[in-house]
Amino acid sequence: MTQYLLSIYQPDGELPAPEELAAVGQRLHVLNEELRSSGSWVFTGGLHAPSTATVVRPGGGLITDGPYLEGKEHIGGFWVITSPDLDAALEWGRKAAEAIGLPIEVRPFQDRDAY
């Protein structure tokens, strides 16, 4: 089976109210349990705010604070799942988007055997 990365596109700015975050957390728990039960679960993780990021760039090892991307969104968290095909992975992405109310990018990993 192919592994897919499901990335959460989180908008920059203030977080929702605590009660809204609690509701999102409960929906995520249900989704994660469904992923585990289906055998698609590999790994998931939430990320700290972009202000905690450090970027290491090629050519001299320049290190800078923050991601410094031109955009109003950042990756807030992700799942790594296994899926028999893109359609099934997109269905997991749809469920994730519904659970948290944010866009989800679904992207396949390259063939691991090639490395």
Side-chain angles (χ1 to χ4, degrees), residues 1-3 109-115:
M1 284 216 254
T2 302
Q3 288 188 336
F109 280 89
Q110 294 181 8
D111 182 5
R112 292 170 290 184
D113 294 335
Y115 297 101

Side-chain angles (χ1 to χ4, degrees), residues 48-87:
H48 286 283
S51 62
T52 66
T54 302
V55 177
V56 179
R57 300 192 187 279
L62 177 63
I63 298 176
T64 59
D65 292 336
Y68 294 115
L69 298 176
E70 294 299 322
K72 296 181 181 174
E73 296 177 325
H74 59 273
I75 302 298
F78 61 90
W79 292 264
V80 176
I81 65 167
T82 58
S83 182
D85 56 40
L86 178 60
D87 288 337

Side-chain angles (χ1 to χ4, degrees), residues 13 18-19 22 24 26 29-30 34 44 46 63 70 80 83 85 95 108:
E19 56 275 0
V24 168
Q26 180 57 37
H29 176 74
V30 170
E34 187 179 353
T44 192
I63 298 176
E70 294 299 322
V80 176
S83 182
D85 56 40
K95 289 180 179 187

Side-chain angles (χ1 to χ4, degrees), residues 10-35:
Q10 186 171 334
D12 290 339
E14 292 187 34
L15 293 176
E19 56 275 0
E20 188 176 338
L21 282 178
V24 168
Q26 180 57 37
R27 291 191 301 269
L28 284 175
H29 176 74
V30 170
L31 174 64
N32 288 334
E33 289 302 313
E34 187 179 353
L35 275 164

